[in-house]
Each structure stands twice: as C-alpha cells, then as structure tokens.
Amino acid sequence: EVTVFDLSERQLAQDRAVASRDGLALATVQGDMRDLSAFADQSFDVVFHPISNLYVPDVRPVWRECFRVLRPGGSLLSSFYNPVVFVGDRDPRYARDGLIRPVHALPYADTRALDAAALDAKRARGEALVFGHSLRDQIGGQLDAGFLLAGFHEDLQPRPRFLIDRYVPTFLATRAVKPARG
C-alpha cells in the first residue's frame, strides 16, 4: 500500500496520472509535511522523504511527525542537500571565473538572503521559498526525534548546477529506524 503526501495538488494530480497510466494503486493526500495529523500514530512501515524538506523553514517538526507515524522498527529514508550548497553567491560571473564566493551563513533562508524585490519576484513567479538546513537539524533532528541512524550516503550531483557541486558531494541520504518496542 502506497500513500503519496504532498502540499501541491498539481503534484498529486501528476502522481495519480502516472499511477493510472501504469496500473498502480496509490492513495494521495494533500497537506504540509510538518503536520501529518491526517495519519494515525504508527500507521506506516516506511516513510520515503525525498529532498523536499528544503521547502520548510524548520525541518525538525517533519522528523517528529515521521517518527510518530512510523511503526516500531519502521524506516525513514530521507534525502537532502549538503548545506554547503547554500553558502555560495549565485552570481554566474563567479562560476565562470571558477570562484565560489561564500556570502550566506547557515542555516540558509530565502526570506533572509533575498532582498524584498527578489523575494516578491520569486513569489510572483509561483516559486517556492527555499531553506537550507544545518546538518544539526537534518541528522541531529532525526536523532532528537527518537530515530536511530542505520545508514548514511553521500553522492555527487550528476548534473552540477552550481560550482560547489563539482567538488563536494551535495546529495545526502539517511536511513533512520524507529526503535522496536523493548
């Protein structure tokens, strides 16, 4: 049984279309990943949480909710960006010159990093605001929620968007487990 949970009704419609096309059964639920109250405690064996937590200003509620909805012994599979990707200036001139110019402190937030005009323009285009979380909140937040870290993976960006992607693995993934009842 598969349930897809997403804030975007448009994304859920796409998921339903693909499932219909491929003959897959899945349920779709719209909502905010920081509030999984649509689901009962201990209702899932696995939560697959892709890189989407960069769209919430505080990731710790996400980890607490994932812990709550997982059954004992269940796994949280999550991925996120190495926070170093958010430090550099995005001005293409620096990348052309092979320079990485640090300008943003972590944790990163569009709401702090962008000026009012850029923030308004991003919102007018319908783009989501972006937040780059610290490893303390990404990994430490999972541990603080009660998970045990069972696996860790890092990988290079297959199609580097930013100069830093060529030098540092910017994709990170964890497998965290909710302890079985003792």
Side-chain angles (χ1 to χ4, degrees), residues 11 48 53-54 74 78 98 142 178:
Q11 179 62 51
F48 176 71
N53 62 27
L54 76 146
S78 65
Q142 292 177 31
K178 182 173 183 173

Side-chain angles (χ1 to χ4, degrees), residues 55-78:
Y55 300 117
V56 294
D58 182 3
V59 72
R60 286 177 175 264
V62 175
W63 304 140
R64 288 190 297 269
E65 281 292 276
C66 288
F67 188 86
R68 182 185 65 76
V69 301
L70 274 170
R71 292 183 180 103
S75 292
L76 165 66
L77 307 173
S78 65

Side-chain angles (χ1 to χ4, degrees), residues 21-38:
R21 179 196 70 202
D22 294 345
L24 304 171
L26 64 86
T28 59
V29 179
Q30 185 177 17
D32 186 317
M33 69 182 97
R34 296 168 292 179
D35 176 10
L36 301 179
S37 60

Side-chain angles (χ1 to χ4, degrees), residues 85 94-100 156-170:
V85 79
Y94 294 112
R96 276 195 309 271
D97 293 340
L99 299 173
I100 299 169
L156 294 169
Q157 169 67 266
R159 288 184 273 321
R161 292 180 18 201
F162 307 113
L163 188 58
I164 193 73
D165 291 328
R166 297 180 192 162
Y167 301 98
V168 177
T170 53

